[in-house]
Amino acid sequence: MQDRHGRNIHYLRISVTDRCNLRCIYCMSEKGVRLLKHEDILSFEEIASFTRIAVANGIDKVRITGGEPLIRKNIPYLIRLLSGIRGIKDLSLTTNGILLEEFAMPLKDSGLQRVNISLDTTDPKKYAYITRGGDYYKVMKGIDAAEKAGLLPIKINCVVKKSSHEPDAVGVKVFCESRKLIVRFIHEMNLETGEYSVVEGGTGGNCRLCNKLRLSSDGELRPCLFSDLSFNIRRLGAESAIRMAVESKPEFGTRSLLTGFSMIGG
Ligand code: SF4
């Protein structure tokens, strides 16, 4: 699908939950977010049927995000539904890694190809501070399990304040080199003020090359992270929502006041 700016839109990011088992200081407040009602959350069947239509319209890359997707009950079943859709060339998932040791093999067996894992420091104490209580060693076991299951290549998402030369980022870079993992540095973003920059080691944030649509867990299809434009797939139907989202995709992001990162998975 081509948007009005000549960009090929073929990448769908699907947030399957607004819930998370961590409270990262740059993502949500300590008390968390006002959670969506259960009936507002798309079922796996709704997500799969929407994705089938999106693939028929040109989507070939799908990423599962959250909140934290592994806390959504029976997530391997959704992966199995999606991996059965002909035309998806790249099926991946972004996780904080806390539950990955348990899910790596079932996800692989269900057809998941690869994972991105969040890791902002290699200092366990600092990790507990940034995530407000997360267990660093669980993430390490998650990385081992993903490697063993063959969810490759593993990419590490490292959030930095200003630059990848910050001490924690350098530590993560050295760790990734020692484990032959791919590292990407994501500069802290601010939806309200519209602060964002290009991901180091990726294309995220480069509006000229943007190829994305985002589906929130309550069925809002969003053409841009830094915009409040959204189209409800339950109300409009998949075809209309996709057409309207692609037609209204802004040339570049401005800001978003109506949602938070945990709702849309960055
Ligand atoms: S700000 Fe919007 S247009 Fe720019 S890269 Fe992000 S999603 Fe794409």
Side-chain angles (χ1 to χ4, degrees):
M1 297 174 275
Q2 280 240 324
D3 72 2
R4 288 171 300 142
H5 312 288
R7 296 172 294 195
N8 177 20
I9 310 305
H10 65 100
Y11 179 11
L12 176 64
R13 296 173 65 101
I14 304 172
S15 167
V16 295
T17 179
D18 58 341
R19 295 164 189 253
C20 188
N21 49 359
L22 294 179
R23 290 283 177 275
C24 298
I25 50 180
Y26 49 75
C27 178
M28 66 164 88
S29 68
E30 186 147 16
K31 59 182 185 335
V33 293
R34 193 163 49 77
L35 296 172
L36 294 167
K37 293 193 290 284
H38 182 71
E39 61 271 22
D40 293 339
I41 301 283
L42 296 176
S43 68
F44 288 160
E45 287 70 21
E46 284 179 291
I47 293 172
S49 89
F50 173 80
T51 306
R52 205 166 284 113
I53 294 166
V55 170
N57 281 276
I59 293 290
D60 61 13
K61 181 176 177 179
V62 173
R63 176 179 296 280
I64 301 300
T65 68
E68 169 50 39
L70 299 187
I71 68 170
R72 174 119 186 219
K73 206 157 159 268
N74 207 10
I75 192 75
Y77 172 60
L78 173 65
I79 298 296
R80 191 168 294 285
L81 290 177
L82 296 177
S83 64
I85 300 174
R86 230 175 236 277
I88 296 179
K89 294 182 188 138
D90 182 359
L91 180 58
S92 62
L93 179 142
T94 298
T95 172
N96 60 30
I98 295 290
L99 297 173
L100 192 51
E101 184 183 14
E102 177 192 345
F103 282 97
M105 199 53 89
L107 290 170
K108 179 67 180 180
D109 292 345
S110 302
L112 189 69
Q113 292 166 353
R114 59 189 183 89
V115 286
N116 283 32
I117 303 167
S118 309
L119 184 69
D120 306 329
T121 179
T122 53
D123 171 349
K125 277 210 185 80
K126 186 78 180 284
Y127 181 85
Y129 165 75
I130 293 170
T131 59
R132 292 199 183 97
D135 180 343
Y136 170 82
Y137 297 103
K138 283 190 176 164
V139 182
M140 292 299 111
K141 287 186 181 148
I143 292 172
D144 296 344
E147 267 176 350
K148 199 159 163 240
L151 291 169
L152 304 170
I154 296 171
K155 293 187 181 177
I156 298 294
N157 290 348
C158 177
V159 172
V160 296
K161 281 202 174 313
K162 293 273 178 264
S163 123
S164 55
H165 301 298
E166 291 157 11
D168 284 316
V170 173
V172 171
K173 189 164 182 267
V174 171
F175 166 76
C176 288
E177 281 162 358
S178 72
R179 296 286 300 265
K180 298 197 173 22
L181 306 172
I182 300 165
V183 64
R184 303 134 37 86
F185 297 104
I186 302 170
H187 294 230
E188 276 189 25
M189 303 182 266
N190 187 317
L191 287 170
E192 285 171 23
T193 61
E195 282 167 72
Y196 64 94
S197 50
V198 177
V199 171
E200 287 184 49
T203 59
N206 186 340
C207 303
R208 205 171 40 75
L209 301 175
C210 190
N211 56 4
K212 299 181 193 71
L213 294 176
R214 290 176 171 83
L215 180 66
S216 67
S217 54
D218 58 349
E220 295 294 335
L221 187 63
R222 301 185 56 198
C224 172
L225 181 60
F226 283 84
S227 154
D228 283 322
L229 281 172
S230 73
F231 304 89
N232 189 283
I233 67 167
R234 279 179 171 161
R235 203 170 47 248
L236 297 165
E239 290 281 4
S240 304
I242 292 167
R243 182 174 44 72
M244 295 163 87
V246 172
E247 280 173 5
S248 63
K249 190 172 172 67
E251 189 171 4
F252 48 81
T254 48
R255 63 183 185 158
S256 170
L257 302 175
L258 301 178
T259 189
F261 287 116
S262 61
M263 298 280 292
I264 200 67

